[in-house]
Amino acid sequence: MQTRRRFWSASRLRGEGTVARRAWRRTYVRRIVLGDALVAVVAALVGRLLPDYGPLAVTGSLWPVIAMPLVWVAAMAVARTYEERFLWVGPEEFRRVFTASVLLLAAVGTISWAFKLEVARSFVVVALPLAAVLTLAQRIAQRVWLHRQRAHGRFQQTAILVGHRNGTAELHAQLDRQARHGLRVIGVCLPAPEPAGAVFDGLPVLGSFTDIADVVRRYEVDTVAVLPSPELDGAALRRLGWDLETTEAELLLAPAVTEFAGPRVAIRPVNGLPLLHLERPEFRGLRRVTKDVFDRTVALVAVIVLLPVLLGLALAVKATSRGPVFFMHERIGRAGVPFKVFKFRSMKPNSDKLIAELMAQNEGNAVQFKMKRDPRVTRVGAVMRRFSLDELPQLFNVILGTMSLVGPRPHVTREVEQYGFDMRRRLLVKPGITGLWQVSGRSNLSWDDSVRIDVRYVENWSLAFDLMILWKTLGAVVRGSGAY
């Protein structure tokens, strides 16, 4: 039966056809190019319609509108923003678009000055920056659309995992958690040959290390992900790369440090050898001071802007249930120092004393207590929790310096006492109002997933990473996924 299931899977993949399965990539790239050209035309028209500041070409000339999309698309192509390996996921595509935009702006300014060309300042100051903003916007929209399609199983790339059992199982679990990457794992290749029809981690064993190229051709594989293995040393990997040159498959090498983000990982030549260099995480210094200043400034501005909302919620809490407006609970902060976290009270008074009675109905993970229909929650509290409004007073925690805008989830003493060695890394930074846990499932996460996500943030934090999480938090709050 297992052999038949594997044969059916392979037959179905071949039936889809390599050309058909890969055609969407070319269509996506063409759509990106067309979008870049269109936004360039729009930016040129806006720049052309604005008042002229400084010398201009012939009045009424349309040459900027005609030349702009050609020059813009050419600049994006030179910056390699249309290469598939930079698309779909990751920030590299957007970084290249931004770099190309800045270089083009500098080039236009330099050339016009060097050759005394009459280029309108409105075109340089308005059209080029506007084209950059619109280009980034349309590419983000295209990527969001693609990720939504991939969440429904469309536009996938077939992949096989090559490595030992533990490594392939862990990588398979990570790929399953990130469906938006679009890698559909169809099988594994293990070091030693397995009996026909063998299955590992729910995946068919398609062959051994010596069969990789044959498996790629037989199943029309798009991606080969190779994990660190003693059998696949430098010479063996080089030969595998040569074997795959006759196929359409791309070769990916998964490092052992998979939980570390790109900015901390770099390839550096040492004595002619390309070695993987892992930067130290930053827990103090100028970047940390910058984060603290950013957090407190944004929190202060947010409190001022949201003051009517805060007053309205306070009145709603006070008018609908007896007890204090705020709920202050002890949590553990950076370096294990306890502090009081501020929240709008969403439960009946003294509800924390009823946890022992409700523990049998726990719907959270093995460590954290959560209930989707908690009888202690008031009606107003349920609405606030649905949209995370009860956590707005934590902005005062940020201003006081006990919390950050973005960071690990603040845990209570009972939960911290159950930390393992890895989890104690999260105490190196301040807890946050939001974080990776907020945009990754919140209360729906298992304890192991919570550990992994919190440690990943601590190891890879940056201001750009924080801004990305803040942006995604808006969508998570609106959806209310895992909020209870």
Side-chain angles (χ1 to χ4, degrees):
M1 182 62 70
Q2 290 175 339
T3 304
R4 181 177 298 177
R5 281 200 297 266
R6 185 179 68 169
F7 176 78
W8 163 247
S9 175
S11 299
R12 183 176 61 186
L13 289 173
R14 283 195 292 265
E16 293 175 0
T18 305
V19 175
R21 284 191 289 108
R22 293 171 180 164
W24 70 267
R25 304 188 204 177
R26 294 190 293 272
T27 302
Y28 184 91
V29 173
R30 285 196 293 267
R31 202 161 56 232
I32 290 288
V33 175
L34 179 60
D36 288 351
L38 289 176
V39 300
V41 170
V42 171
L45 286 173
V46 172
R48 191 69 187 85
L49 295 175
L50 288 175
D52 303 336
Y53 297 103
L56 252 184
V58 180
T59 303
S61 173
L62 291 177
W63 73 263
V65 180
I66 298 173
M68 180 70 172
L70 300 177
V71 173
W72 190 256
V73 171
M76 294 297 117
V78 170
R80 299 161 67 188
T81 67
Y82 300 124
E83 293 187 16
E84 293 180 3
R85 58 178 172 154
F86 301 133
L87 304 177
W88 335 132
V89 293
E92 184 62 21
E93 174 189 3
F94 307 129
R95 188 189 68 81
R96 287 178 176 272
V97 169
F98 179 78
T99 301
S101 305
V102 173
L103 292 179
L104 180 60
L105 181 62
V108 170
T110 302
I111 293 174
S112 63
W113 172 80
F115 294 96
K116 299 184 179 350
L117 300 178
E118 294 186 346
V119 180
R121 292 179 185 175
S122 60
F123 180 78
V124 176
V125 175
V126 176
L128 291 178
L130 180 60
V133 172
L134 294 178
T135 297
L136 289 171
Q138 75 96 5
R139 285 174 177 249
I140 291 173
Q142 299 266 26
R143 183 178 289 194
V144 169
W145 175 84
L146 178 63
H147 289 175
R148 288 178 178 173
Q149 296 297 313
R150 283 179 164 178
H152 293 88
R154 305 184 188 99
F155 305 131
Q156 302 289 308
Q157 296 173 255
T158 57
I160 61 171
L161 307 182
V162 178
H164 288 261
R165 290 177 177 267
N166 290 342
T168 54
E170 184 176 347
L171 182 57
H172 183 210
Q174 289 192 28
L175 293 177
D176 273 351
R177 286 191 292 263
Q178 299 289 335
R180 63 189 179 87
H181 287 189
L183 287 180
R184 176 158 56 99
V185 182
I186 63 170
V188 298
C189 288
L190 301 176
E194 297 279 336
V199 175
F200 168 69
D201 196 32
L203 297 171
V205 179
L206 303 179
S208 64
F209 285 0
T210 58
D211 305 320
I212 298 172
D214 292 335
V215 169
V216 169
R217 296 186 184 93
R218 189 186 321 143
Y219 295 94
E220 299 175 343
V221 175
D222 298 321
T223 303
V224 179
V226 180
L227 291 107
S229 305
E231 297 86 351
L232 292 174
D233 56 10
L237 278 176
R238 187 167 59 249
R239 287 193 295 270
L240 176 59
W242 294 342
D243 291 339
L244 296 180
E245 286 178 358
T246 59
T247 71
E248 294 293 328
E250 61 177 352
L251 180 62
L252 302 180
L253 303 181
V257 288
T258 54
E259 287 296 330
F260 298 107
R264 286 193 57 200
V265 180
I267 300 293
R268 294 187 179 178
V270 178
N271 291 334
L273 298 175
L275 300 183
L276 196 67
H277 181 83
L278 186 63
E279 298 284 356
R280 294 176 181 268
E282 288 197 40
F283 300 119
R284 56 178 60 89
L286 181 60
R287 288 181 61 210
R288 179 61 65 181
V289 172
T290 303
K291 175 178 170 66
D292 287 342
V293 172
F294 173 81
D295 284 343
R296 297 192 186 198
T297 303
V298 172
L300 182 60
V301 172
V303 167
I304 296 173
V305 172
L306 296 175
L307 188 58
V309 177
L310 294 171
L311 292 175
L313 291 173
L315 290 174
V317 173
K318 191 65 177 178
T320 56
S321 64
R322 299 170 58 183
V325 171
F326 295 103
F327 174 73
M328 291 184 289
H329 198 247
E330 186 176 273
R331 302 294 174 98
I332 304 301
R334 184 167 62 181
V337 178
F339 70 99
K340 295 289 185 180
V341 65
F342 303 133
K343 299 179 69 173
F344 281 123
R345 183 174 56 82
S346 59
M347 292 185 176
K348 301 171 184 176
N350 301 320
S351 293
D352 54 328
K353 299 179 180 179
L354 302 176
I355 292 182
E357 300 177 14
L358 299 172
M359 190 60 72
Q361 305 176 51
N362 182 26
E363 298 177 81
N365 53 50
V367 178
Q368 296 170 305
F369 176 82
K370 292 286 183 179
M371 288 182 65
K372 293 182 179 180
R373 297 183 180 274
D374 196 322
R376 303 172 297 164
V377 178
T378 64
R379 290 185 178 181
V380 171
V383 175
M384 290 194 299
R385 284 177 166 230
R386 168 65 176 77
F387 298 103
S388 300
L389 298 176
D390 60 318
E391 298 178 1
L392 286 179
Q394 292 174 23
L395 291 169
F396 294 105
N397 284 111
V398 177
I399 295 173
L400 293 174
T402 55
M403 291 183 66
S404 293
L405 291 176
V406 181
R409 183 197 300 267
H411 284 166
V412 299
T413 304
R414 175 178 56 83
E415 295 166 348
V416 173
E417 289 173 350
Q418 301 182 58
Y419 280 1
F421 177 78
D422 290 351
M423 196 59 168
R424 293 203 168 271
R425 295 284 292 177
R426 69 193 308 283
L427 298 178
L428 295 174
V429 300
K430 295 178 185 178
I433 298 179
T434 185
L436 273 181
W437 50 272
Q438 177 88 346
V439 299
S440 304
R442 304 164 79 178
S443 296
N444 292 332
L445 294 172
S446 67
W447 179 252
D448 289 340
D449 284 341
S450 297
V451 171
R452 177 180 55 82
I453 287 172
D454 279 341
V455 173
R456 178 187 297 176
Y457 173 80
V458 172
E459 296 291 339
N460 302 297
W461 82 270
S462 68
L463 193 56
F465 198 19
D466 284 1
L467 293 174
M468 182 271 290
I469 292 173
L470 288 171
W471 172 256
K472 288 189 173 184
T473 297
L474 295 178
V477 168
V478 171
R479 290 191 303 270
S481 175
Y484 54 87

